[in-house]
Amino acid sequence: MLDFSNNDYLALSQHPHVVDAAVCAARRYGVGAKASRLLAEYHPLYHCLETRIAQDKKTEAALFFSSGFQANVSVLSALLDRRVLKSQPLVFCDRLNHASIYQALISSQCEWVRYRHLDMEHLQSLLERYAQDSRPKFIVTETLFGMDGDLSPLEKIYALALAYKTFVYLDEAHATGLFGPQGYGHSTTQVWDQVPHLIMGTFSKALGGSGAYIACNQVLKDYLVNKASGFIYSTAPSPCSVAAALKAWKMVEFMAPQRAHLHDLSDEFRNMLSTQKVDIGTSTTHIIPIILENEAQVMETQKKLRAKNIYVSGIRPPTVPPGSARLRIGLRASHTKEDLYRFMEEWKKI
Ligand SMILES: Cc1ncc(COP(=O)(O)O)c(C=O)c1O
């Protein structure tokens, strides 16, 4: 089977070192954390992981959550709490942000305005429109968009945040492990020293496991430990997930060859598809949408590929905007050029 449907981008989910770390932790500590972190005994594994994340993200502190969805919903809701901010915050949100971000905006009852996907001129015009508005402002964006495979222009976002005094919230779910000088995320290509910010990322994609981190300053971490409901009122992530996460995180900096292979493969695949006049949207990475005419065509093509033992995910509205139903290709470092040729061969027959 040729599988393009999962997000195990660095093939770490089955890496023997990562699996061993999880198994050893299970033997030593058990498979469950047994209580919320605020109630359970102090566990050194969390501390090791969070210290290491903060070091590589160049922030004062980090905090680990059970999942990316949980982190986005509970952290953003806590940050946007109008009672704490003493006024209703205003959020500038990339139109194509993930559902968990929208869930947080809805539950916090903040006011939000959406800017066109990655359109910095539009973002600037909206910031300008609200320039005299004294409410706390936030820019919220993914750094690598999970359905479109394009990267946020972080330098520009930094400049706008600085000029318009906005907090920046970044979701690195798909960029963690693959972008940045050591692989610790696209956000690490930018120094954030003058802009208040928080970076969230997951262990469920390139790091092959589960769970999510946030990286921020110590004051924010202390606030979130006491305020983020998903942290307080949920059983802590299992020691197995934490140990696997720590092992995978440590391995990332040594995986430059796998990253280079994946980026080369992605360039080649995008070229092959474009040559065949396939609409791949604005992808510049290993996440490659194949945008088709309608939903029926997407599901029909998915079915035909499955019959050839090729797995791709059909993605339909509301996950993506109406009129942009697609097959989503997620390339991984374990793919080879032969895999691409095989896909193209079958594609041409369809
Ligand atoms: C951009 C983005 N943020 C957050 C999440 C949620 O992460 P998790 O799967 O760890 O809950 C996802 C998952 O698909 C995602 O794509």
Side-chain angles (χ1 to χ4, degrees), residues 67-70 72 98 100 142 146 171 173-174 200 202 204-205 211:
S67 83
F69 199 98
Q70 185 200 49
N72 269 344
H98 189 255
S100 53
E142 293 178 39
D171 178 333
H174 292 274
M200 169 272 177
T202 62
S204 51
K205 321 282 187 228

